[in-house]
Amino acid sequence: MTFEQWMRSVLDRVEGALEQYLPAESIEPARLHEAMRYAVLGGGKRVRPLLCHAAGELTGAKAECLDAASAALEMIHVYSLVHDDMPCMDDDDLRRGKPTVHVQYDEATALLVGDALQSQAFVALTSDVLEPAKQAALVRELALASGSIGMAGGQAIDLASVGHTLTRPQLETMHRLKTGALLRAAVRMGALTGDTPDASALQALDAYSAAVGLAFQVVDDILDVTTDSATLGKTAGKDAKDGKPTYVSIIGLDASRALAAQLRSDAHAALAPFGARAQRLAELADLVVNRVS
Ligand code: GRG
């Protein structure tokens, strides 16, 4: 199977799983369920589900178990996007090429969409397809990665940093929490869904995730200044306008490109112990660095 064919088959499975694990629009409160589905379905690159499936293939995880974990990861990710776009945070009106949830619906609905997606993620993760011991391990991974010592904590640092000069280590800490923690969880959750990996395998996967997570952010900063809103599906040039520190603002465009290429090599190097079995993870590292949106 080529990488494109593999990606297509995973993306189809993940779309089906999201459809399955989200409450139907016909269930009351219908408007909230409609808004949750508006936010989640039919958009986004699905990077976290792809990482989860690729890591799960390393440990022989069953595809339907990876679907549940992937749906949970994507719901947490989308909750964070919906809240991040609200006027009290980034105040954005375009996401995944569509009006943001608070624009399409209203602010209170956007708040509830995020809240409900967060809860629904844990409903998906505790579905019967996963053994109870796996459920507990995965719930812990996702809760830690999305809470105050993960994504929400990173967002707090981000909000506090507006208009301030951050050093490069401070910028890295912010991104390690804000975006890196959930990407790392995607890889760990995929691996933990199959035969439990040993400590050295998890360490290698964490090193891979650290490089991919940072590369993801560096490329995001590059695209923010080099690509238009229509291609990105979100407002381009917003970081600079909002006075947010970015890799491009701290080290410049050329050095940011060189850093992304270095992180891609670091990600590949971290996968060495797995040999050819890690081919999909290696290809995903390339995708993250070479993406255009
Ligand atoms: C509100 C608790 C809380 C957290 C928000 C993820 C996040 C934290 C904010 C998003 C702001 C942002 C643009 C971060 C930069 C990197 C990033 C996560 C981009 C969006 O993720 P993609 O590119 O989006 O995976 P798609 O739409 O493809 O899923």
Side-chain angles (χ1 to χ4, degrees), residues 217-252:
Q217 190 57 54
V218 174
V219 171
D220 213 69
D221 289 351
I222 294 171
L223 292 174
D224 192 56
V225 296
T226 57
T227 310
D228 57 275
S229 302
T231 309
L232 290 180
K234 62 181 181 181
T235 313
K238 193 140 192 311
D239 291 341
K241 187 173 149 277
D242 292 347
K244 284 201 176 173
T246 68
Y247 279 94
V248 176
S249 71
I250 292 182
I251 62 174

Short mmCIF file of all heavy atoms in Angstrom, two decimals, residues 217-252:
data_model
loop_
_atom_site.label_atom_id
_atom_site.label_comp_id
_atom_site.label_asym_id
_atom_site.label_seq_id
_atom_site.Cartn_x
_atom_site.Cartn_y
_atom_site.Cartn_z
N GLN A 217 4.81 22.96 14.91
CA GLN A 217 4.62 24.36 15.29
C GLN A 217 5.48 25.30 14.46
O GLN A 217 5.02 26.37 14.05
CB GLN A 217 4.94 24.53 16.78
CG GLN A 217 4.54 25.86 17.31
CD GLN A 217 3.06 26.13 17.09
OE1 GLN A 217 2.22 25.33 17.49
NE2 GLN A 217 2.71 27.24 16.44
N VAL A 218 6.73 24.89 14.22
CA VAL A 218 7.63 25.74 13.41
C VAL A 218 7.01 25.92 12.02
O VAL A 218 6.94 27.05 11.49
CB VAL A 218 9.05 25.10 13.30
CG1 VAL A 218 9.92 25.90 12.34
CG2 VAL A 218 9.71 25.01 14.67
N VAL A 219 6.49 24.82 11.44
CA VAL A 219 5.88 24.90 10.11
C VAL A 219 4.61 25.77 10.18
O VAL A 219 4.34 26.56 9.27
CB VAL A 219 5.59 23.48 9.56
CG1 VAL A 219 4.76 23.54 8.28
CG2 VAL A 219 6.89 22.73 9.31
N ASP A 220 3.85 25.63 11.27
CA ASP A 220 2.65 26.48 11.44
C ASP A 220 3.04 27.96 11.40
O ASP A 220 2.37 28.78 10.76
CB ASP A 220 2.01 26.14 12.79
CG ASP A 220 0.51 26.27 12.75
OD1 ASP A 220 -0.14 25.45 12.07
OD2 ASP A 220 -0.02 27.23 13.36
N ASP A 221 4.13 28.30 12.07
CA ASP A 221 4.60 29.69 12.10
C ASP A 221 5.07 30.15 10.72
O ASP A 221 4.84 31.31 10.33
CB ASP A 221 5.74 29.86 13.11
CG ASP A 221 5.27 29.75 14.56
OD1 ASP A 221 4.03 29.72 14.77
OD2 ASP A 221 6.11 29.69 15.46
N ILE A 222 5.73 29.23 9.99
CA ILE A 222 6.19 29.58 8.63
C ILE A 222 4.97 29.82 7.73
O ILE A 222 4.88 30.83 7.02
CB ILE A 222 7.08 28.45 8.04
CG1 ILE A 222 8.39 28.34 8.83
CG2 ILE A 222 7.36 28.70 6.55
CD1 ILE A 222 9.24 27.12 8.48
N LEU A 223 3.99 28.89 7.79
CA LEU A 223 2.81 29.01 6.93
C LEU A 223 2.01 30.27 7.25
O LEU A 223 1.42 30.89 6.36
CB LEU A 223 1.91 27.76 7.07
CG LEU A 223 2.50 26.45 6.52
CD1 LEU A 223 1.59 25.27 6.85
CD2 LEU A 223 2.74 26.54 5.02
N ASP A 224 2.03 30.66 8.51
CA ASP A 224 1.28 31.86 8.92
C ASP A 224 1.74 33.11 8.17
O ASP A 224 0.94 34.02 7.93
CB ASP A 224 1.43 32.06 10.45
CG ASP A 224 0.45 33.10 10.98
OD1 ASP A 224 -0.76 32.91 10.76
OD2 ASP A 224 0.89 34.09 11.59
N VAL A 225 3.03 33.13 7.80
CA VAL A 225 3.53 34.32 7.09
C VAL A 225 3.72 34.09 5.59
O VAL A 225 3.95 35.04 4.85
CB VAL A 225 4.87 34.85 7.68
CG1 VAL A 225 4.70 35.33 9.10
CG2 VAL A 225 5.99 33.82 7.60
N THR A 226 3.66 32.82 5.14
CA THR A 226 3.95 32.58 3.71
C THR A 226 2.72 32.14 2.91
O THR A 226 2.80 32.03 1.70
CB THR A 226 5.03 31.47 3.54
OG1 THR A 226 4.56 30.28 4.19
CG2 THR A 226 6.37 31.88 4.10
N THR A 227 1.60 31.87 3.59
CA THR A 227 0.45 31.29 2.90
C THR A 227 -0.79 32.14 3.16
O THR A 227 -0.91 32.78 4.20
CB THR A 227 0.25 29.84 3.39
OG1 THR A 227 1.50 29.17 3.30
CG2 THR A 227 -0.75 29.09 2.55
N ASP A 228 -1.72 32.09 2.18
CA ASP A 228 -2.93 32.92 2.33
C ASP A 228 -4.04 32.19 3.11
O ASP A 228 -4.00 30.97 3.28
CB ASP A 228 -3.45 33.33 0.94
CG ASP A 228 -3.72 32.12 0.08
OD1 ASP A 228 -2.77 31.62 -0.57
OD2 ASP A 228 -4.85 31.64 0.08
N SER A 229 -5.01 32.97 3.55
CA SER A 229 -6.09 32.43 4.39
C SER A 229 -6.88 31.35 3.66
O SER A 229 -7.30 30.37 4.28
CB SER A 229 -7.06 33.55 4.80
OG SER A 229 -6.37 34.56 5.50
N ALA A 230 -7.09 31.53 2.34
CA ALA A 230 -7.91 30.55 1.60
C ALA A 230 -7.23 29.18 1.62
O ALA A 230 -7.89 28.16 1.82
CB ALA A 230 -8.11 31.02 0.16
N THR A 231 -5.92 29.16 1.44
CA THR A 231 -5.20 27.87 1.47
C THR A 231 -5.19 27.29 2.87
O THR A 231 -5.37 26.10 3.07
CB THR A 231 -3.73 28.07 0.98
OG1 THR A 231 -3.76 28.78 -0.25
CG2 THR A 231 -3.00 26.76 0.81
N LEU A 232 -4.97 28.14 3.88
CA LEU A 232 -4.89 27.66 5.26
C LEU A 232 -6.24 27.27 5.83
O LEU A 232 -6.33 26.45 6.74
CB LEU A 232 -4.27 28.74 6.17
CG LEU A 232 -2.78 29.05 5.99
CD1 LEU A 232 -2.36 30.13 6.98
CD2 LEU A 232 -1.94 27.80 6.20
N GLY A 233 -7.31 27.89 5.31
CA GLY A 233 -8.64 27.64 5.88
C GLY A 233 -8.82 28.34 7.22
O GLY A 233 -9.77 28.10 7.95
N LYS A 234 -7.85 29.17 7.59
CA LYS A 234 -7.94 30.00 8.81
C LYS A 234 -7.22 31.30 8.50
O LYS A 234 -6.50 31.41 7.49
CB LYS A 234 -7.32 29.27 10.02
CG LYS A 234 -5.85 28.97 9.87
CD LYS A 234 -5.29 28.23 11.08
CE LYS A 234 -3.80 27.98 10.91
NZ LYS A 234 -3.17 27.26 12.01
N THR A 235 -7.37 32.29 9.38
CA THR A 235 -6.83 33.61 9.09
C THR A 235 -5.30 33.60 9.09
O THR A 235 -4.69 33.29 10.12
CB THR A 235 -7.35 34.64 10.12
OG1 THR A 235 -8.75 34.44 10.26
CG2 THR A 235 -7.06 36.06 9.68
N ALA A 236 -4.70 33.94 7.94
CA ALA A 236 -3.24 33.99 7.86
C ALA A 236 -2.72 35.30 8.47
O ALA A 236 -3.45 36.28 8.57
CB ALA A 236 -2.80 33.89 6.40
N GLY A 237 -1.47 35.30 8.90
CA GLY A 237 -0.81 36.52 9.38
C GLY A 237 -1.32 37.00 10.73
O GLY A 237 -1.02 38.11 11.17
N LYS A 238 -2.07 36.12 11.43
CA LYS A 238 -2.73 36.57 12.64
C LYS A 238 -1.76 36.71 13.82
O LYS A 238 -1.89 37.61 14.64
CB LYS A 238 -3.84 35.57 12.99
CG LYS A 238 -4.79 36.05 14.03
CD LYS A 238 -6.23 35.68 13.73
CE LYS A 238 -7.18 36.42 14.63
NZ LYS A 238 -6.83 36.39 16.04
N ASP A 239 -0.77 35.81 13.87
CA ASP A 239 0.17 35.84 14.99
C ASP A 239 0.89 37.18 15.06
O ASP A 239 0.98 37.79 16.13
CB ASP A 239 1.18 34.69 14.87
CG ASP A 239 0.52 33.33 15.10
OD1 ASP A 239 -0.58 33.31 15.68
OD2 ASP A 239 1.10 32.32 14.69
N ALA A 240 1.41 37.61 13.89
CA ALA A 240 2.14 38.88 13.86
C ALA A 240 1.20 40.02 14.25
O ALA A 240 1.56 40.89 15.05
CB ALA A 240 2.71 39.10 12.46
N LYS A 241 0.00 40.00 13.69
CA LYS A 241 -0.97 41.07 13.96
C LYS A 241 -1.30 41.14 15.46
O LYS A 241 -1.47 42.21 16.03
CB LYS A 241 -2.23 40.78 13.14
CG LYS A 241 -3.26 41.88 13.17
CD LYS A 241 -4.40 41.58 12.18
CE LYS A 241 -5.72 42.14 12.66
NZ LYS A 241 -6.43 41.29 13.60
N ASP A 242 -1.39 39.95 16.09
CA ASP A 242 -1.76 39.90 17.52
C ASP A 242 -0.55 40.09 18.44
O ASP A 242 -0.67 39.97 19.66
CB ASP A 242 -2.42 38.55 17.84
CG ASP A 242 -3.78 38.41 17.17
OD1 ASP A 242 -4.29 39.43 16.66
OD2 ASP A 242 -4.32 37.29 17.14
N GLY A 243 0.62 40.32 17.85
CA GLY A 243 1.83 40.52 18.67
C GLY A 243 2.27 39.26 19.38
O GLY A 243 2.83 39.30 20.48
N LYS A 244 2.03 38.09 18.73
CA LYS A 244 2.43 36.83 19.37
C LYS A 244 3.84 36.42 18.95
O LYS A 244 4.17 36.48 17.76
CB LYS A 244 1.47 35.71 18.95
CG LYS A 244 0.16 35.76 19.65
CD LYS A 244 -0.52 34.41 19.60
CE LYS A 244 -1.80 34.47 20.41
NZ LYS A 244 -2.59 33.27 20.29
N PRO A 245 4.65 35.99 19.90
CA PRO A 245 5.98 35.52 19.53
C PRO A 245 5.88 34.22 18.73
O PRO A 245 5.08 33.35 19.08
CB PRO A 245 6.67 35.28 20.88
CG PRO A 245 5.57 35.18 21.89
CD PRO A 245 4.37 35.87 21.34
N THR A 246 6.66 34.09 17.66
CA THR A 246 6.67 32.88 16.83
C THR A 246 8.12 32.55 16.49
O THR A 246 9.01 33.37 16.71
CB THR A 246 5.90 33.09 15.50
OG1 THR A 246 6.65 34.01 14.69
CG2 THR A 246 4.50 33.62 15.72
N TYR A 247 8.33 31.36 15.93
CA TYR A 247 9.69 31.01 15.49
C TYR A 247 10.18 32.00 14.45
O TYR A 247 11.33 32.43 14.47
CB TYR A 247 9.74 29.57 14.96
CG TYR A 247 9.84 28.61 16.11
CD1 TYR A 247 8.70 28.02 16.64
CD2 TYR A 247 11.05 28.37 16.73
CE1 TYR A 247 8.77 27.20 17.74
CE2 TYR A 247 11.15 27.55 17.83
CZ TYR A 247 10.00 26.97 18.33
OH TYR A 247 10.09 26.18 19.43
N VAL A 248 9.29 32.38 13.54
CA VAL A 248 9.71 33.31 12.49
C VAL A 248 10.10 34.66 13.09
O VAL A 248 11.10 35.26 12.70
CB VAL A 248 8.59 33.46 11.43
CG1 VAL A 248 8.98 34.50 10.38
CG2 VAL A 248 8.31 32.12 10.75
N SER A 249 9.33 35.13 14.10
CA SER A 249 9.67 36.43 14.68
C SER A 249 10.94 36.37 15.52
O SER A 249 11.66 37.35 15.65
CB SER A 249 8.49 36.99 15.50
OG SER A 249 8.32 36.25 16.69
N ILE A 250 11.25 35.20 16.09
CA ILE A 250 12.43 35.11 16.96
C ILE A 250 13.70 34.75 16.19
O ILE A 250 14.75 35.35 16.39
CB ILE A 250 12.17 34.09 18.11
CG1 ILE A 250 11.11 34.64 19.06
CG2 ILE A 250 13.45 33.77 18.88
CD1 ILE A 250 10.80 33.78 20.25
N ILE A 251 13.59 33.76 15.24
CA ILE A 251 14.84 33.35 14.57
C ILE A 251 14.83 33.65 13.07
O ILE A 251 15.82 33.42 12.38
CB ILE A 251 15.17 31.84 14.80
CG1 ILE A 251 14.07 30.92 14.22
CG2 ILE A 251 15.40 31.55 16.27
CD1 ILE A 251 14.41 29.43 14.29
N GLY A 252 13.69 34.12 12.52
CA GLY A 252 13.62 34.46 11.10
C GLY A 252 13.15 33.28 10.25
O GLY A 252 13.12 32.14 10.71
#
